[in-house]
Amino acid sequence: MTIRRRLIFSNILMIIIPILLCLLLSTIFINIILNYAGIEGNLHSRSNDVFYQTVAEMKSLSTEWKYADEEKIKSELASFDLPQKSKAVSIALYEGNKELYQDGNFTTSPLTTLAQEKDKSRGHYTIDNTALFTVQAGQYRVYLYNKDHDYDKDNRFDLINQTINPGVLFAIFILFAIVLTNGILTRFVFRSIINPLNILVNGVHKIRDGNLDYRITYEGKDEFAEVCNDFNEMARQLQELIEARKKDDENRRELVAGISHDLRTPLTSIKTYAEGLVEGVAATPRLQKEYLETIISKTDDLEHIVQQLFLFSKLDIGEFPFSEEIFDIGLALDSFAKGAAEDYGENMTVTLENTTHQKYVEADPVQLRTVFTNLSENALKYGAEKDNQLLIKSYQENDHITIIFQDNGPGVSEDSLNKLFQIFYRGNKARTSTGKRNGNGLGLAISAKIIHRFSGTIQAENGPENGLKIIITLPVLEGIENG
């Protein structure tokens, strides 16, 4: 049940329950009053009337009974016909302690004993709701007994009317019912709110204390369930954000270290050769020319690194201007492979297996060629020492074009595959060959940025026997013919 429904339900019960309790308590209390006052069935009134009427008759006959015999008194007692008038009133005739006559189920009681002890010619005795009237008739004694007597009925009615105000009682009942209902419903509603709040507070404290793996488990079906789900999602995103920030900090440190290393190496060479020229180490024109050519070469290396850093930074912040167009990817690969084969010559054999002619993609052809060049340069640097080969394959698979650049070098460790596209990552030592110009760890990082910009993917795998495979996928455009 949702909290909103709980509140509506509790408010309805706040109205209904006090009314029901008031009706119930009022009914019970009124019944108690009626029973106490002797109104129910008029039992007390009926027995009292019969009792006092008979008392009056007994008083008028008491003088005659002083001289009457037993049979006359019995006859006159029977004429009262008490059983027909009230079952609560009975009469008896005694001589000493011997019962001579009784009518109406007369039984002795403490009042009978009391009257015998008093031994008066006439007496009226009451205990609780019983009454006894006795009169002496010569040697006999007559007892009139009422077992359902109300000796002060009128006074009690006056007391009730004076001390009990029905309006006050009803107000008291309402107040009691409201307090009772409020207590029960408040506990019911607040417990359903406080418990989830405590769970949320505990979760917040866990996150505050650095436990980013903590997740709230809440089995309720109310509004708090959605809040707890949002809390867990927030905790997940926060954990990913902090992990990404830690990774960014680590990458930044690696970036600074990589830049320092890549700039320091050519700068050291430039400084060394420049000092050699100044100090006259290069004494001949030929040697001086070699020193200057080396300085120029190292300067070109510096310029290349700076250009790549600038390109990567522009790609990273999304400010690099792309000129995307639709073109035949098969023809683009044919053109690149032909040029690469001529450029690398005997240093690396380039082979193309192309099945994507008249397959079109939307990308920047210049920047895509930059990716192909980076991958080819990577194969040249880290390929086999002898008979270095680069295989370029392309084919269509479902809704995308797959392009593979595979060298025949030593490959990389499985742990390094996912790190190859990080900036300044150079892989293991097996991928660095003596006598070849080492890379600066920017080529694959730049290639990944460019491919992702074209809604493609790029990943690295080791070949089935040896070498490294760089696999690119690009979305293919269907329904386009002849460009």
Side-chain angles (χ1 to χ4, degrees), residues 431-462:
R431 292 285 293 177
T432 304
S433 300
T434 305
K436 294 184 179 181
R437 176 182 171 185
N438 294 333
N440 52 36
L442 286 168
L444 291 181
I446 292 173
S447 299
K449 292 288 184 182
I450 293 174
I451 293 299
H452 292 158
R453 177 62 177 78
F454 301 146
S455 301
T457 64
I458 184 169
Q459 60 182 351
E461 294 180 1
N462 283 315

Side-chain angles (χ1 to χ4, degrees), residues 167-279:
V168 174
L169 285 177
F170 195 71
I172 293 174
F173 290 153
I174 291 178
L175 180 62
F176 173 76
I178 291 176
V179 171
L180 180 63
T181 306
N182 275 342
I184 296 174
L185 295 181
T186 299
R187 180 178 177 83
F188 169 73
V189 173
F190 271 80
R191 183 172 58 185
S192 64
I193 297 176
I194 293 300
N195 290 345
L197 283 178
N198 290 335
I199 294 175
L200 281 172
V201 170
N202 180 61
V204 171
H205 290 169
K206 292 288 187 181
I207 299 298
R208 179 199 62 188
D209 296 336
N211 185 7
L212 298 180
D213 293 324
Y214 182 80
R215 298 294 184 269
I216 291 177
T217 301
Y218 184 71
E219 298 179 354
K221 303 299 181 182
D222 51 25
E223 291 85 348
F224 279 105
E226 184 176 353
V227 175
C228 292
N229 291 335
D230 291 342
F231 176 89
N232 290 337
E233 178 64 19
M234 178 194 68
R236 184 190 64 79
Q237 294 181 5
L238 180 61
Q239 184 179 26
E240 292 178 354
L241 181 63
I242 292 178
E243 291 176 352
R245 184 172 180 178
K246 289 180 180 178
K247 187 176 180 180
D248 288 342
D249 291 339
E250 182 180 353
N251 291 339
R252 189 177 296 108
R253 289 192 295 269
E254 292 179 355
L255 175 63
V256 173
I259 293 175
S260 301
H261 175 272
D262 287 337
L263 294 180
R264 183 172 61 249
T265 301
L267 282 174
T268 301
S269 298
I270 292 173
K271 181 180 179 182
T272 300
Y273 283 100
E275 289 176 347
L277 289 173
V278 172
E279 294 173 359

Side-chain angles (χ1 to χ4, degrees), residues 336 344 368-379 405 447:
F336 173 79
Y344 300 132
L368 189 58
R369 190 178 184 90
T370 299
V371 173
F372 296 160
T373 301
N374 289 339
L375 300 182
S376 300
E377 290 288 335
N378 198 64
F405 280 69
S447 299

Side-chain angles (χ1 to χ4, degrees), residues 26 82 110-111 127 193 202 207 215 286 342 345-346 374 378:
S26 299
L82 295 179
L111 289 176
I127 295 179
I193 297 176
N202 180 61
I207 299 298
R215 298 294 184 269
R286 182 184 64 79
E342 295 176 354
E346 296 180 356
N374 289 339
N378 198 64

Side-chain angles (χ1 to χ4, degrees), residues 73-74 84 105 173 211 250 263 293 306 392 445 473-474:
I73 296 175
K74 288 181 179 180
Q84 297 297 325
N105 296 324
F173 290 153
N211 185 7
E250 182 180 353
L263 294 180
E293 289 177 348
V306 171
I392 304 175
T473 64
L474 293 172

Side-chain angles (χ1 to χ4, degrees), residues 4 77 91 100 170 235 243 254 268 270 277 380 417 459 471 476:
R4 182 171 180 269
L77 293 179
I91 197 166
L100 302 177
F170 195 71
E243 291 176 352
E254 292 179 355
T268 301
I270 292 173
L277 289 173
L380 179 65
L417 287 175
Q459 60 182 351
I471 304 172
V476 65

Side-chain angles (χ1 to χ4, degrees), residues 198-427:
N198 290 335
I199 294 175
L200 281 172
V201 170
N202 180 61
V204 171
H205 290 169
K206 292 288 187 181
I207 299 298
R208 179 199 62 188
D209 296 336
N211 185 7
L212 298 180
D213 293 324
Y214 182 80
R215 298 294 184 269
I216 291 177
T217 301
Y218 184 71
E219 298 179 354
K221 303 299 181 182
D222 51 25
E223 291 85 348
F224 279 105
E226 184 176 353
V227 175
C228 292
N229 291 335
D230 291 342
F231 176 89
N232 290 337
E233 178 64 19
M234 178 194 68
R236 184 190 64 79
Q237 294 181 5
L238 180 61
Q239 184 179 26
E240 292 178 354
L241 181 63
I242 292 178
E243 291 176 352
R245 184 172 180 178
K246 289 180 180 178
K247 187 176 180 180
D248 288 342
D249 291 339
E250 182 180 353
N251 291 339
R252 189 177 296 108
R253 289 192 295 269
E254 292 179 355
L255 175 63
V256 173
I259 293 175
S260 301
H261 175 272
D262 287 337
L263 294 180
R264 183 172 61 249
T265 301
L267 282 174
T268 301
S269 298
I270 292 173
K271 181 180 179 182
T272 300
Y273 283 100
E275 289 176 347
L277 289 173
V278 172
E279 294 173 359
V281 175
T284 65
R286 182 184 64 79
L287 194 56
Q288 291 174 353
K289 181 180 178 181
E290 290 180 0
Y291 274 39
L292 290 173
E293 289 177 348
T294 301
I295 292 174
I296 293 173
S297 175
K298 296 301 180 181
T299 304
D300 291 340
D301 290 345
L302 284 175
E303 184 180 11
H304 178 69
I305 293 173
V306 171
Q307 288 177 346
Q308 286 197 308
L309 281 172
F310 180 76
L311 175 59
F312 180 83
S313 65
K314 287 289 186 179
L315 291 170
D316 193 40
I317 62 178
E319 293 184 356
F320 187 84
F322 285 96
S323 299
E324 297 185 32
E325 59 183 73
I326 298 173
F327 59 92
D328 187 331
I329 187 64
L331 293 178
L333 285 170
D334 286 343
S335 174
F336 173 79
K338 181 179 180 181
E342 295 176 354
D343 292 339
Y344 300 132
E346 296 180 356
N347 294 324
M348 183 173 66
T349 302
V350 179
T351 304
L352 175 65
E353 296 180 3
N354 186 4
T355 61
T356 55
H357 293 97
Q358 296 186 351
K359 303 297 180 183
Y360 296 89
V361 297
E362 184 174 7
D364 186 333
V366 175
Q367 297 306 322
L368 189 58
R369 190 178 184 90
T370 299
V371 173
F372 296 160
T373 301
N374 289 339
L375 300 182
S376 300
E377 290 288 335
N378 198 64
L380 179 65
K381 296 185 184 91
Y382 302 113
E385 289 290 338
K386 296 180 180 180
D387 191 23
N388 192 7
Q389 296 183 13
L390 171 63
L391 173 63
I392 304 175
K393 298 173 63 176
S394 68
Y395 55 89
Q396 181 175 355
E397 185 176 11
N398 297 327
D399 58 350
H400 60 269
I401 297 295
T402 299
I403 304 171
I404 300 176
F405 280 69
Q406 181 176 355
D407 62 41
N408 61 341
V412 299
S413 65
E414 294 296 326
D415 295 337
S416 299
L417 287 175
N418 294 329
K419 301 178 181 178
L420 288 179
F421 301 100
Q422 296 178 7
I423 188 171
F424 289 115
Y425 186 80
R426 291 179 175 81

